[in-house]
Amino acid sequence: MEEGKKLTTASGIPYYHHEDTMSVGQRGPLLLQDFILHEKMAHFNRERIPERVVHAKGTGAYGTFTVTDDISKYTRAKLFNQIGKQTKVFLRFSTVGGEKGSADTERDPRGFAVKFYTEEGNWDLVGNNTPIFFIKDPKKFSDFIHTQKRDPKTNTKSPTMMWDFWSHNPEALHQVLFLFSDRGTPYSYRHMHGFGSHTFSFINANNERHWVKFHFKSMQGIKNFTNEEATRMKGEDADWAQRDLVEAIERGDHPKWAVRVQVMTEEQAKTYKWNPFDLTKVWQHKDFPLIDVGVLELNKIPDNYFADVEQSAFAPAHVVDGIGYSPDRMLQGRLLSYPDAHRYRLGVNYEQLPVNRCPYAVNNYERDGAMRVDGNAGSAPNYFPNSFDNIQPDAAYKQMGMELDSNIAAVFDRNGPGEDDHYSQPGMFYRDVLSAEDKTSLVNNIVGAMKGIATEKKQQIIMRQLCHFFRADMELGMRIAQGLALDMAEVMSNMPQPKKEVEGESAMV
Ligand code: NDP
């Protein structure tokens, strides 16, 4: 037999008996001294790490980002500083609410998290396939996610919890309409857009700030499942989207996204008709047109899923020089909670795992901790300042201040005056963006889902939610009410009454 590799224990000791355990006699009890049995079982028992509380089911690939256009007047970030420049990326796609084994075609937003391995450190843009989200204050996140998970008693998904939450939170309406349109069930990860969603800063060489939103437009085009197709695919192939991505990349059909940005000056932000830091709103394209930046291509499936996809960790806090945060409350909330989740799930040294490791220099005084595997900086000093090493903080990376318009520390109503237009953008979405066919799918998908509300509160929840649909658009409200076969006299008695004519327009109160 050709000389092969020897089978060894985890400690490298060659051994022979891999399949039979030492016992007392042919049919007698097993011996504890056969520690290899224990090593195999004990390691197996520990194979699972905690799955992500959200975005548990996912898949990922490596690729490249290539700059196609000069945006140096907005940002000095080095990854953008030369046309043709390429930066390695890792992108993880996911669904949000389901567990690690759930179906890929569930109606759900899709995660779109990109790690750019830049020469100035790793930049994580941790977005979704929608430009908006259901909530705008991070204090509401755990409540919201509980409604997308399992009922505490029945342990099943609950349309009651979902619609109860959405009906109590009018700011969710915009994303609810995206979710129940056919874009809520994308055909594959390749056929959907990605969005950084939050507002970030771009800082240029003159230390000038622009606010920025990132868009990744699928160059494969948009393709969706209908509700029926998505439901059928759950049974036929629960891993459909993962399989599609792997097979496309392995056959050389490398998916691409056009990377574009919208930019807004600080002055424009002060007077924009909507809060530009509100994650439930978009910036209209006619006000802030898309600017070309580059192309992102995925071209390599990792050799080992667990090593690179399951252990990948993204943090919106990880921005590089030339990119910064904004007062977007949801972004602010995520800055600390993402690294916190990774420390729980992967351990304090999660950034040393190959997929997360910065391929360029990492010099600091963080030491020790569970599973330190990089040599722990050897004999180098573990304190700063010191007389021995030559690590110097570089003043070129001083952070720029952010001008605020208030010095009052208080709890403000997230939906208070000026923050309470929950209906204009959902109305525009329904009237101006969706085709006639899209509208019909949206209505049918909503009606189908609301029929699942099963509780003595059903009527109350439906009426409260219907008010939101009517406020966004009368036709939308009517079609959903009719689809639910509601008594129209009762619906109208519950509906918001038209306000007196305001400058010739009739408005709902
Ligand atoms: P525009 O009329 O300039 O563009 C419409 C946008 O909607 C395009 O980005 C288009 O993306 C996208 N779109 C088309 N069909 C759907 C769909 N079924 N589901 C989700 N998105 C779709 O839009 P405005 O900027 O004037 O905004 C109007 C409304 O459009 C907003 O209130 C918002 O609801 C929606 N929208 C706006 C976006 C933005 O960033 N401004 C982004 C996405 C939606 P595509 O390239 O695929 O056609």
Side-chain angles (χ1 to χ4, degrees):
M1 195 178 109
E2 197 190 326
E3 181 107 25
K5 292 184 208 154
K6 285 193 179 106
L7 177 70
T8 74
T9 64
S11 47
I13 302 166
Y15 71 98
Y16 179 69
H17 297 291
H18 190 67
E19 294 168 285
D20 302 305
T21 303
M22 191 180 287
S23 58
V24 182
Q26 175 74 43
R27 297 188 178 184
L30 305 184
L31 289 182
L32 264 186
Q33 73 177 40
D34 191 342
F35 84 95
I36 292 165
L37 168 67
H38 185 59
E39 179 174 293
K40 284 181 77 174
M41 293 300 287
H43 197 278
F44 176 71
N45 288 345
R46 290 161 178 77
E47 281 183 2
R48 295 291 165 273
I49 57 175
E51 68 173 35
R52 295 164 173 89
V53 180
V54 280
H55 296 274
K57 175 78 188 288
T59 187
Y62 288 101
T64 44
F65 165 68
T66 308
V67 178
T68 55
D69 291 79
D70 178 12
I71 55 164
S72 56
K73 67 176 168 176
Y74 302 118
T75 177
R76 63 183 181 231
K78 289 216 175 105
L79 82 155
F80 299 122
N81 71 359
Q82 204 186 325
I83 290 176
K85 185 166 184 168
Q86 294 202 317
T87 299
K88 183 178 171 182
V89 300
F90 180 75
L91 201 166
R92 182 174 181 272
F93 302 101
S94 52
T95 52
V96 180
E99 297 85 1
K100 204 170 162 321
S102 58
D104 284 347
T105 57
E106 289 285 359
R107 180 171 304 288
D108 209 0
R110 302 292 188 267
F112 193 103
V114 195
K115 190 180 289 293
F116 296 81
Y117 300 93
T118 91
E119 65 200 274
E120 298 215 297
N122 292 349
W123 170 36
D124 294 342
L125 191 62
V126 197
N128 278 333
N129 70 331
T130 60
I132 49 173
F133 198 59
F134 299 93
I135 52 172
K136 52 169 127 162
D137 192 302
K139 231 184 217 179
K140 296 181 68 63
F141 190 73
S142 54
D143 293 294
F144 165 61
I145 291 298
H146 288 168
T147 71
Q148 304 297 302
K149 296 276 185 181
R150 291 172 185 273
D151 176 273
K153 180 173 180 185
T154 64
N155 195 38
T156 57
K157 291 283 179 83
S158 163
T160 305
M161 298 201 301
M162 295 180 193
W163 289 105
D164 197 22
F165 182 90
W166 289 328
S167 66
H168 275 112
N169 291 279
E171 68 268 37
L173 180 68
H174 199 190
Q175 177 80 325
V176 167
L177 296 191
F178 272 58
L179 180 65
F180 284 91
S181 77
D182 282 342
R183 291 199 189 190
T185 48
Y187 173 81
S188 81
Y189 291 131
R190 297 181 296 130
H191 295 90
M192 61 183 208
H193 298 327
F195 298 88
S197 306
H198 297 294
T199 300
F200 288 89
S201 298
F202 261 167
I203 315 287
N204 67 16
N206 301 324
N207 254 345
E208 291 157 343
R209 183 193 308 276
H210 285 82
W211 304 114
V212 59
K213 280 189 184 285
F214 295 94
H215 300 248
F216 299 77
K217 293 277 192 180
S218 170
M219 293 168 72
Q220 293 65 245
I222 294 286
K223 202 168 157 189
N224 303 308
F225 280 126
T226 63
N227 197 49
E228 291 68 31
E229 289 166 341
T231 306
R232 194 167 59 242
M233 188 53 85
K234 278 198 246 179
E236 284 176 10
D237 185 356
D239 303 318
W240 163 258
Q242 167 145 344
R243 197 180 313 285
D244 173 84
L245 185 77
V246 171
E247 289 179 359
I249 293 178
E250 304 266 277
R251 70 172 175 261
D253 182 3
H254 298 159
K256 294 188 182 67
W257 284 262
V259 183
R260 302 196 176 123
V261 292
Q262 287 178 291
V263 292
M264 182 187 279
T265 65
E266 290 181 289
E267 281 312 304
Q268 287 172 317
K270 288 176 188 159
T271 55
Y272 194 47
K273 53 195 158 184
W274 295 287
N275 176 351
F277 310 112
D278 176 347
L279 188 56
T280 65
K281 308 282 189 301
V282 296
W283 301 355
Q284 282 198 274
H285 292 122
K286 69 175 162 48
D287 301 328
F288 301 97
L290 292 171
I291 298 167
D292 289 328
V293 178
V295 172
L296 186 149
E297 175 188 285
L298 296 180
N299 48 35
K300 185 175 184 327
I301 294 292
D303 289 332
N304 188 283
Y305 178 88
F306 181 88
D308 288 359
V309 183
E310 192 59 10
Q311 296 194 112
S312 62
F314 302 84
H318 296 169
V319 294
V320 293
D321 185 55
I323 304 171
Y325 310 139
S326 83
D328 177 334
R329 285 163 173 256
M330 290 298 292
L331 172 63
Q332 296 268 320
R334 295 174 81 202
L335 296 180
L336 296 188
S337 75
Y338 274 59
D340 181 46
H342 306 327
R343 290 180 194 116
Y344 161 69
R345 197 172 68 86
L346 301 165
V348 68
N349 286 312
Y350 72 94
E351 308 235 48
Q352 291 173 33
L353 295 165
V355 64
N356 301 325
R357 194 165 56 213
C358 168
Y360 301 93
V362 175
N363 302 308
N364 60 41
Y365 301 90
E366 289 161 19
R367 296 289 190 276
D368 308 352
M371 304 304 291
R372 183 92 198 198
V373 294
D374 68 347
N376 205 20
S379 61
N382 58 2
Y383 59 93
F384 179 89
N386 68 68
S387 312
F388 304 100
D389 68 22
N390 60 358
I391 300 175
Q392 294 298 331
D394 184 342
Y397 295 94
K398 268 189 190 170
Q399 281 199 11
M400 196 183 140
M402 193 185 286
E403 193 189 319
L404 301 173
D405 61 3
S406 172
N407 57 7
I408 301 168
V411 177
F412 295 91
D413 179 355
R414 71 189 187 287
N415 292 335
E419 308 295 333
D420 53 354
D421 176 5
H422 312 302
Y423 305 111
S424 306
Q425 292 199 359
M428 287 191 285
F429 177 68
Y430 180 75
R431 283 185 298 276
D432 308 333
V433 175
L434 297 184
S435 65
E437 199 184 328
D438 290 336
K439 285 179 183 164
T440 301
S441 293
L442 174 72
V443 169
N444 290 342
N445 295 339
I446 290 174
V447 168
M450 290 187 90
K451 280 186 179 158
I453 304 174
T455 155
E456 74 277 12
K457 303 278 189 204
K458 180 171 183 168
Q459 199 65 1
Q460 202 177 314
I461 293 171
I462 287 180
M463 286 304 165
R464 197 164 45 228
Q465 183 63 40
L466 263 184
C467 284
H468 302 317
F469 292 135
F470 270 106
R471 283 178 156 130
D473 186 89
M474 282 299 278
E475 178 194 284
L476 173 66
M478 287 301 280
R479 289 183 69 179
I480 293 171
Q482 282 160 358
L484 289 167
L486 298 175
D487 173 349
M488 291 315 285
E490 192 193 340
V491 169
M492 293 329 287
S493 70
N494 275 289
M495 284 309 109
Q497 298 307 307
K499 241 197 302 195
K500 287 201 186 99
E501 295 283 302
V502 181
E503 290 172 11
E505 284 179 47
S506 83
M508 307 296 281
V509 288

Short mmCIF file of all heavy atoms in Angstrom, two decimals, residues 469-505:
data_model
loop_
_atom_site.label_atom_id
_atom_site.label_comp_id
_atom_site.label_asym_id
_atom_site.label_seq_id
_atom_site.Cartn_x
_atom_site.Cartn_y
_atom_site.Cartn_z
N PHE A 469 -52.18 50.70 6.75
CA PHE A 469 -52.25 50.52 5.30
C PHE A 469 -53.08 51.64 4.66
O PHE A 469 -52.70 52.20 3.63
CB PHE A 469 -52.88 49.16 4.96
CG PHE A 469 -52.03 47.97 5.35
CD1 PHE A 469 -52.59 46.87 5.99
CD2 PHE A 469 -50.67 47.94 5.06
CE1 PHE A 469 -51.81 45.77 6.33
CE2 PHE A 469 -49.88 46.84 5.40
CZ PHE A 469 -50.47 45.75 6.04
N PHE A 470 -54.21 51.98 5.29
CA PHE A 470 -55.05 53.05 4.73
C PHE A 470 -54.31 54.39 4.72
O PHE A 470 -54.44 55.18 3.79
CB PHE A 470 -56.35 53.19 5.54
CG PHE A 470 -57.46 52.32 5.03
CD1 PHE A 470 -57.85 51.18 5.71
CD2 PHE A 470 -58.13 52.64 3.86
CE1 PHE A 470 -58.88 50.37 5.24
CE2 PHE A 470 -59.17 51.84 3.37
CZ PHE A 470 -59.54 50.70 4.07
N ARG A 471 -53.56 54.63 5.78
CA ARG A 471 -52.85 55.92 5.85
C ARG A 471 -51.79 56.02 4.76
O ARG A 471 -51.51 57.10 4.26
CB ARG A 471 -52.21 56.11 7.22
CG ARG A 471 -53.22 56.50 8.28
CD ARG A 471 -52.55 56.61 9.62
NE ARG A 471 -53.30 57.49 10.49
CZ ARG A 471 -53.66 57.17 11.74
NH1 ARG A 471 -53.34 56.01 12.25
NH2 ARG A 471 -54.33 58.03 12.47
N ALA A 472 -51.17 54.88 4.41
CA ALA A 472 -50.17 54.91 3.34
C ALA A 472 -50.87 55.10 1.99
O ALA A 472 -50.44 55.91 1.17
CB ALA A 472 -49.38 53.61 3.35
N ASP A 473 -51.96 54.36 1.78
CA ASP A 473 -52.64 54.45 0.50
C ASP A 473 -54.04 53.85 0.64
O ASP A 473 -54.18 52.70 1.07
CB ASP A 473 -51.85 53.68 -0.57
CG ASP A 473 -52.46 53.89 -1.95
OD1 ASP A 473 -52.06 54.86 -2.61
OD2 ASP A 473 -53.35 53.10 -2.32
N MET A 474 -55.06 54.62 0.23
CA MET A 474 -56.45 54.18 0.38
C MET A 474 -56.71 52.87 -0.36
O MET A 474 -57.34 51.96 0.15
CB MET A 474 -57.41 55.26 -0.16
CG MET A 474 -57.62 56.42 0.78
SD MET A 474 -58.34 55.91 2.35
CE MET A 474 -60.06 55.84 1.91
N GLU A 475 -56.18 52.82 -1.60
CA GLU A 475 -56.43 51.61 -2.40
C GLU A 475 -55.81 50.37 -1.72
O GLU A 475 -56.44 49.31 -1.65
CB GLU A 475 -55.83 51.78 -3.80
CG GLU A 475 -56.00 50.57 -4.67
CD GLU A 475 -55.12 50.61 -5.92
OE1 GLU A 475 -55.46 51.36 -6.85
OE2 GLU A 475 -54.10 49.88 -5.95
N LEU A 476 -54.60 50.54 -1.19
CA LEU A 476 -53.94 49.42 -0.52
C LEU A 476 -54.79 48.93 0.65
O LEU A 476 -55.04 47.73 0.81
CB LEU A 476 -52.55 49.87 -0.03
CG LEU A 476 -51.78 48.87 0.84
CD1 LEU A 476 -51.41 47.62 0.04
CD2 LEU A 476 -50.51 49.51 1.41
N GLY A 477 -55.26 49.88 1.46
CA GLY A 477 -56.10 49.53 2.61
C GLY A 477 -57.36 48.80 2.17
O GLY A 477 -57.73 47.75 2.73
N MET A 478 -58.01 49.34 1.12
CA MET A 478 -59.26 48.75 0.66
C MET A 478 -59.03 47.32 0.16
O MET A 478 -59.80 46.40 0.48
CB MET A 478 -59.86 49.57 -0.50
CG MET A 478 -60.45 50.90 -0.08
SD MET A 478 -61.78 50.73 1.11
CE MET A 478 -63.12 50.29 0.06
N ARG A 479 -57.96 47.14 -0.61
CA ARG A 479 -57.74 45.82 -1.19
C ARG A 479 -57.44 44.78 -0.11
O ARG A 479 -57.88 43.63 -0.19
CB ARG A 479 -56.59 45.87 -2.21
CG ARG A 479 -56.98 46.62 -3.47
CD ARG A 479 -55.87 46.62 -4.50
NE ARG A 479 -55.62 45.30 -5.07
CZ ARG A 479 -54.70 45.05 -6.00
NH1 ARG A 479 -53.95 46.04 -6.47
NH2 ARG A 479 -54.52 43.82 -6.47
N ILE A 480 -56.73 45.20 0.91
CA ILE A 480 -56.41 44.24 1.99
C ILE A 480 -57.68 43.94 2.80
O ILE A 480 -57.97 42.78 3.12
CB ILE A 480 -55.27 44.77 2.88
CG1 ILE A 480 -53.98 44.82 2.05
CG2 ILE A 480 -55.08 43.89 4.12
CD1 ILE A 480 -52.82 45.52 2.72
N ALA A 481 -58.46 44.97 3.08
CA ALA A 481 -59.71 44.75 3.82
C ALA A 481 -60.62 43.81 3.05
O ALA A 481 -61.22 42.89 3.62
CB ALA A 481 -60.40 46.10 4.07
N GLN A 482 -60.70 44.04 1.74
CA GLN A 482 -61.56 43.15 0.92
C GLN A 482 -61.00 41.73 0.90
O GLN A 482 -61.74 40.75 1.02
CB GLN A 482 -61.66 43.69 -0.51
CG GLN A 482 -62.64 44.85 -0.60
CD GLN A 482 -62.43 45.70 -1.86
OE1 GLN A 482 -61.52 45.45 -2.65
NE2 GLN A 482 -63.26 46.72 -2.02
N GLY A 483 -59.68 41.63 0.79
CA GLY A 483 -59.04 40.31 0.77
C GLY A 483 -59.31 39.54 2.05
O GLY A 483 -59.41 38.30 2.05
N LEU A 484 -59.43 40.27 3.16
CA LEU A 484 -59.70 39.62 4.45
C LEU A 484 -61.20 39.42 4.67
O LEU A 484 -61.61 38.95 5.74
CB LEU A 484 -59.11 40.46 5.59
CG LEU A 484 -57.56 40.47 5.67
CD1 LEU A 484 -57.09 41.58 6.62
CD2 LEU A 484 -57.01 39.12 6.13
N ALA A 485 -61.99 39.80 3.67
CA ALA A 485 -63.46 39.66 3.71
C ALA A 485 -64.03 40.34 4.96
O ALA A 485 -64.88 39.77 5.66
CB ALA A 485 -63.86 38.18 3.64
N LEU A 486 -63.55 41.56 5.22
CA LEU A 486 -64.03 42.27 6.42
C LEU A 486 -65.33 43.00 6.11
O LEU A 486 -65.60 43.35 4.96
CB LEU A 486 -62.96 43.28 6.88
CG LEU A 486 -61.63 42.67 7.29
CD1 LEU A 486 -60.63 43.76 7.61
CD2 LEU A 486 -61.79 41.75 8.50
N ASP A 487 -66.07 43.26 7.15
CA ASP A 487 -67.30 44.05 7.03
C ASP A 487 -66.87 45.50 6.81
O ASP A 487 -66.29 46.13 7.70
CB ASP A 487 -68.09 43.88 8.34
CG ASP A 487 -69.30 44.79 8.39
OD1 ASP A 487 -69.43 45.67 7.53
OD2 ASP A 487 -70.12 44.60 9.31
N MET A 488 -67.10 46.03 5.60
CA MET A 488 -66.56 47.34 5.24
C MET A 488 -67.13 48.46 6.11
O MET A 488 -66.45 49.46 6.37
CB MET A 488 -66.79 47.65 3.75
CG MET A 488 -65.97 46.78 2.82
SD MET A 488 -64.23 46.61 3.29
CE MET A 488 -63.57 48.18 2.85
N ALA A 489 -68.37 48.30 6.58
CA ALA A 489 -68.95 49.35 7.44
C ALA A 489 -68.14 49.42 8.74
O ALA A 489 -67.80 50.51 9.22
CB ALA A 489 -70.41 49.02 7.74
N GLU A 490 -67.78 48.25 9.27
CA GLU A 490 -67.00 48.23 10.50
C GLU A 490 -65.59 48.78 10.27
O GLU A 490 -65.04 49.54 11.06
CB GLU A 490 -66.91 46.80 11.05
CG GLU A 490 -66.37 46.77 12.47
CD GLU A 490 -65.98 45.37 12.94
OE1 GLU A 490 -66.47 44.39 12.36
OE2 GLU A 490 -65.17 45.31 13.88
N VAL A 491 -65.01 48.40 9.10
CA VAL A 491 -63.67 48.90 8.77
C VAL A 491 -63.70 50.43 8.74
O VAL A 491 -62.86 51.09 9.36
CB VAL A 491 -63.20 48.36 7.40
CG1 VAL A 491 -61.93 49.07 6.94
CG2 VAL A 491 -62.96 46.85 7.47
N MET A 492 -64.68 51.00 8.04
CA MET A 492 -64.71 52.45 7.89
C MET A 492 -64.92 53.14 9.23
O MET A 492 -64.35 54.21 9.48
CB MET A 492 -65.78 52.89 6.87
CG MET A 492 -65.52 52.46 5.42
SD MET A 492 -63.79 52.31 4.91
CE MET A 492 -63.27 54.01 4.79
N SER A 493 -65.68 52.51 10.12
CA SER A 493 -65.89 53.16 11.42
C SER A 493 -64.61 53.15 12.26
O SER A 493 -64.45 53.94 13.18
CB SER A 493 -67.04 52.49 12.18
OG SER A 493 -66.63 51.20 12.58
N ASN A 494 -63.69 52.26 11.94
CA ASN A 494 -62.41 52.20 12.67
C ASN A 494 -61.31 53.04 12.02
O ASN A 494 -60.24 53.20 12.58
CB ASN A 494 -61.91 50.76 12.71
CG ASN A 494 -62.51 49.99 13.85
OD1 ASN A 494 -62.19 50.22 15.01
ND2 ASN A 494 -63.44 49.10 13.51
N MET A 495 -61.60 53.52 10.81
CA MET A 495 -60.52 54.17 10.06
C MET A 495 -60.29 55.60 10.50
O MET A 495 -61.19 56.26 11.02
CB MET A 495 -60.85 54.17 8.56
CG MET A 495 -60.65 52.82 7.93
SD MET A 495 -59.02 52.14 8.30
CE MET A 495 -59.45 50.81 9.42
N PRO A 496 -59.04 56.11 10.26
CA PRO A 496 -58.77 57.51 10.55
C PRO A 496 -59.67 58.42 9.71
O PRO A 496 -59.92 58.11 8.54
CB PRO A 496 -57.31 57.69 10.14
CG PRO A 496 -56.98 56.50 9.30
CD PRO A 496 -57.91 55.41 9.69
N GLN A 497 -60.19 59.48 10.30
CA GLN A 497 -61.10 60.37 9.58
C GLN A 497 -60.30 61.40 8.79
O GLN A 497 -59.25 61.86 9.24
CB GLN A 497 -62.00 61.10 10.58
CG GLN A 497 -62.88 60.16 11.38
CD GLN A 497 -63.69 59.23 10.48
OE1 GLN A 497 -64.38 59.67 9.57
NE2 GLN A 497 -63.56 57.91 10.71
N PRO A 498 -60.80 61.77 7.59
CA PRO A 498 -60.08 62.78 6.81
C PRO A 498 -60.02 64.10 7.58
O PRO A 498 -61.00 64.50 8.20
CB PRO A 498 -60.92 62.94 5.54
CG PRO A 498 -61.84 61.77 5.52
CD PRO A 498 -62.00 61.29 6.93
N LYS A 499 -58.82 64.72 7.54
CA LYS A 499 -58.67 66.03 8.16
C LYS A 499 -59.37 67.05 7.28
O LYS A 499 -59.65 66.79 6.12
CB LYS A 499 -57.17 66.39 8.21
CG LYS A 499 -56.67 66.58 9.63
CD LYS A 499 -55.35 67.31 9.69
CE LYS A 499 -54.19 66.71 8.95
NZ LYS A 499 -52.90 67.25 9.31
N LYS A 500 -59.58 68.28 7.83
CA LYS A 500 -60.13 69.34 6.98
C LYS A 500 -59.12 69.61 5.87
O LYS A 500 -57.93 69.35 6.01
CB LYS A 500 -60.33 70.59 7.84
CG LYS A 500 -61.50 70.46 8.77
CD LYS A 500 -61.97 71.86 9.21
CE LYS A 500 -63.04 71.73 10.25
NZ LYS A 500 -62.53 71.92 11.61
N GLU A 501 -59.61 70.14 4.76
CA GLU A 501 -58.74 70.42 3.63
C GLU A 501 -57.53 71.24 4.06
O GLU A 501 -57.66 72.25 4.73
CB GLU A 501 -59.51 71.20 2.56
CG GLU A 501 -60.66 70.42 1.94
CD GLU A 501 -60.17 69.41 0.92
OE1 GLU A 501 -59.52 69.82 -0.03
OE2 GLU A 501 -60.45 68.20 1.10
N VAL A 502 -56.32 70.75 3.71
CA VAL A 502 -55.11 71.51 4.01
C VAL A 502 -54.53 71.98 2.68
O VAL A 502 -54.11 71.17 1.86
CB VAL A 502 -54.06 70.62 4.72
CG1 VAL A 502 -52.81 71.43 5.06
CG2 VAL A 502 -54.65 69.99 5.97
N GLU A 503 -54.54 73.26 2.48
CA GLU A 503 -54.03 73.86 1.25
C GLU A 503 -54.49 73.07 0.02
O GLU A 503 -53.69 72.63 -0.80
CB GLU A 503 -52.50 73.93 1.28
CG GLU A 503 -52.01 74.94 2.29
CD GLU A 503 -50.50 74.87 2.46
OE1 GLU A 503 -49.84 74.20 1.66
OE2 GLU A 503 -50.00 75.49 3.40
N GLY A 504 -55.78 72.82 -0.03
CA GLY A 504 -56.34 72.16 -1.20
C GLY A 504 -56.17 70.65 -1.23
O GLY A 504 -56.69 70.00 -2.12
N GLU A 505 -55.41 70.06 -0.30
CA GLU A 505 -55.24 68.60 -0.32
C GLU A 505 -56.03 68.00 0.81
O GLU A 505 -56.14 68.59 1.87
CB GLU A 505 -53.77 68.24 -0.06
CG GLU A 505 -52.88 68.47 -1.24
CD GLU A 505 -51.45 68.09 -0.88
OE1 GLU A 505 -51.24 67.01 -0.30
OE2 GLU A 505 -50.56 68.91 -1.14
#
